[in-house]
Amino acid sequence: MDIGERIIKHRKKNGWSQEELAERLGVSRQSVSKWESGTSVPDINRILEMSELFEVTTDYLLKGDFDARINTLETEGKEKSDFQTAEAQGSSVSWEAGAQDPSISQKTERQDPAIFWQMTDGGTTDGGTIGSADEKREEVGFTAGKQMAAEEINRFMEMTAEFGRKVSLGVMLCILSPAILIGACGFTGKEGGEILSERVAVLFGLLCLFIMVASAVMLFIKGSIMIKQYEYVKNGEFFLDAASVKVIEGVLADFAPQFSNGIAKGVALCILSPVPLIVTSLIGFSQPLVVLMVPVLLLMVAVGVSLFIRLGIMKEGFLQLLKRNEYDVTYQENVKREEKLGSIYWPAVTAIYLLWSFLSNDWHISWIIWPVAGCIFAAVSNALKNKGNGDFR
């Protein structure tokens, strides 16, 4: 039974139609229909709301009875771990810290869905070598760190969205900070109608500039402090169960059109931003109007860049949770290898370049070492990535 079938089961159990459930959740009937048919997956907020409406846990709603039972031991001894089962079959298990009593596993509050193997290197069962604990964790896809529950995933994404809003607004303020100064200067002098004196225009413009930059810095600091608590997500020190991954992938798929449209709008704004300035200059409008087009240009660029940043941070949050692209473990390992190689390679290239140049005095030729060294480094880096299976999605 998948999540759609569980929604149908509990909706009917409560005697609700799709329209009634949709009204309680604040969504359309079509959304509920898509969830129940399996064509889409509800987001984290809706899952939390349905768990309250149906009076079930989010674990049950996401994974069903069996998987929820895997994650929670209701009473000691109610469920036997794989290690206890192995012992009952006459298997021999070598335990961490030298313990030989399989009842230790009963004290584990929560097991990783892929099975947390509590054994020392070289443990055996049924006379066969299992291998090291690290090898077994890697085999089943176990990741070190804490498991993120649905509520925590939801809080992280809300915090990421808020962080994106703060950073994008701060960047907008930085881009727009000289706009008032430029605009005010357009109304000075004879061509500007002498509406403002140059001194007043500069002082007022600089005051606005400093206030806007200070506000932007405050937003950056607030955002950084706010998102700091989720540093472990960026570092990959967590793991998710399969159902949570499926939900996040569904939300990311729904977010993809919004991301594409937002990026397209941002690019269009940046490309079109000089048009008002060019048009007013070519037509021959007065100086104040032409100068005012510069703040308009800055505003269009600011809005476009803010779209890039806000949507980019949101997408980055999804990628951090799914450990994709630069947050993929393999990718990070390759980056570390590349950084280690570069710390040795480039100083050596510099030393060779200087030695060759000073000894031969062929400075007009020795520069060739840099493009050659760059090509070699790129080839070696790609070889390392391919060795590490560099499919970073």
Side-chain angles (χ1 to χ4, degrees):
M1 183 183 291
D2 60 21
I3 186 171
E5 292 171 329
R6 285 188 285 277
I7 293 172
I8 295 172
K9 174 184 174 182
H10 286 278
R11 176 175 62 78
K12 291 182 176 179
K13 183 179 178 181
N14 285 278
W16 299 330
S17 64
Q18 288 184 342
E19 290 84 353
E20 289 172 324
L21 177 59
E23 185 177 345
R24 292 171 185 271
L25 295 173
V27 298
S28 65
R29 186 198 65 77
Q30 288 79 5
S31 295
V32 175
S33 177
K34 287 180 180 178
W35 299 342
E36 293 184 350
S37 64
T39 55
S40 69
V41 181
D43 61 30
I44 298 297
N45 284 324
R46 300 295 174 259
I47 288 172
L48 290 172
E49 291 174 9
M50 283 191 285
S51 70
E52 294 176 1
L53 285 174
F54 298 152
E55 296 182 349
V56 297
T57 64
T58 53
D59 277 347
Y60 165 76
L61 201 57
L62 287 166
K63 297 170 284 184
D65 290 323
F66 179 76
D67 290 331
R69 191 166 64 248
I70 290 177
N71 286 324
T72 307
L73 299 178
E74 295 178 353
T75 56
E76 184 175 358
K78 183 177 180 180
E79 298 180 22
K80 288 187 176 182
S81 70
D82 289 331
F83 294 105
Q84 290 172 295
T85 304
E87 190 206 30
Q89 296 173 347
S91 302
S92 172
V93 179
S94 178
W95 293 82
E96 288 186 21
Q100 298 294 326
D101 184 5
S103 65
I104 292 175
S105 65
Q106 293 179 341
K107 299 177 183 177
T108 303
E109 279 187 21
R110 203 170 184 86
Q111 300 282 359
D112 176 74
I115 305 170
F116 184 75
W117 290 81
Q118 291 180 304
M119 60 187 178
T120 57
D121 292 352
T124 60
T125 182
D126 294 336
T129 300
I130 293 178
S132 71
D134 289 337
E135 289 172 350
K136 197 64 187 178
R137 292 186 183 105
E138 183 177 353
E139 178 185 331
V140 297
F142 180 86
T143 305
K146 61 185 287 187
Q147 179 174 3
M148 291 185 73
E151 292 83 356
E152 192 169 5
I153 294 170
N154 185 50
R155 284 197 302 272
F156 169 72
M157 288 311 302
E158 288 177 351
M159 201 73 74
T160 299
E162 181 62 23
F163 176 65
R165 286 191 288 269
K166 288 184 184 299
V167 173
S168 61
L169 179 57
V171 171
M172 275 189 73
L173 289 172
C174 288
I175 295 173
L176 290 172
S177 59
I180 296 176
L181 174 61
I182 295 169
C185 288
F187 293 91
T188 62
K190 290 182 179 180
E191 292 184 356
E194 296 183 343
I195 298 173
L196 293 172
S197 70
E198 187 174 342
R199 182 187 180 90
V200 171
V202 170
L203 288 175
F204 180 68
L206 287 175
L207 178 63
C208 293
L209 185 149
F210 286 123
I211 290 174
M212 293 172 78
V213 170
S215 300
V217 171
M218 183 179 68
L219 287 170
F220 295 149
I221 293 172
K222 273 188 171 183
S224 298
I225 293 172
M226 180 183 66
I227 204 70
K228 184 73 174 176
Q229 60 183 301
Y230 290 104
E231 190 73 18
Y232 71 91
V233 178
K234 182 178 179 181
N235 296 332
E237 298 168 355
F238 71 98
F239 62 93
L240 305 174
D241 55 39
S244 296
V245 171
K246 183 179 179 182
V247 171
I248 295 167
E249 287 176 339
V251 177
L252 177 58
D254 292 339
F255 173 73
Q258 180 187 346
F259 177 81
S260 300
N261 292 336
I263 296 300
K265 291 175 183 176
V267 170
L269 283 169
C270 290
I271 293 173
L272 295 173
S273 59
V275 171
L277 179 60
I278 294 170
V279 170
T280 52
S281 299
L282 291 176
I283 293 177
F285 283 104
S286 62
Q287 177 184 309
L289 184 59
V290 173
V291 173
L292 279 177
M293 291 302 104
V294 177
V296 171
L297 181 152
L298 293 175
L299 177 62
M300 293 175 71
V301 171
V303 173
V305 172
S306 71
L307 284 172
F308 299 152
I309 293 172
R310 183 171 59 82
L311 295 172
I313 288 175
M314 281 295 297
K315 184 177 180 181
E316 190 174 283
F318 289 119
L319 295 178
Q320 287 176 0
L321 288 173
L322 296 172
K323 296 187 178 180
R324 292 182 179 176
N325 294 355
E326 64 265 35
Y327 304 103
D328 181 85
V329 176
T330 306
Y331 183 94
Q332 291 176 350
E333 289 175 353
N334 289 333
V335 168
K336 289 177 182 177
R337 290 195 200 102
E338 189 173 319
E339 288 175 350
K340 188 175 181 180
L341 173 64
S343 66
I344 300 170
Y345 180 83
W346 289 115
V349 170
T350 304
I352 293 170
Y353 167 72
L354 293 174
L355 186 64
W356 176 16
S357 300
F358 278 114
L359 290 179
S360 65
N361 204 29
D362 291 331
W363 296 90
H364 61 291
I365 298 175
S366 58
W367 63 268
I368 197 66
I369 196 172
W370 294 110
V372 172
C375 292
I376 294 173
F377 185 78
V380 174
S381 296
N382 286 329
L384 288 174
K385 288 179 181 178
N386 291 330
K387 183 180 179 181
N389 189 18
D391 178 17
F392 308 126
R393 290 151 288 183

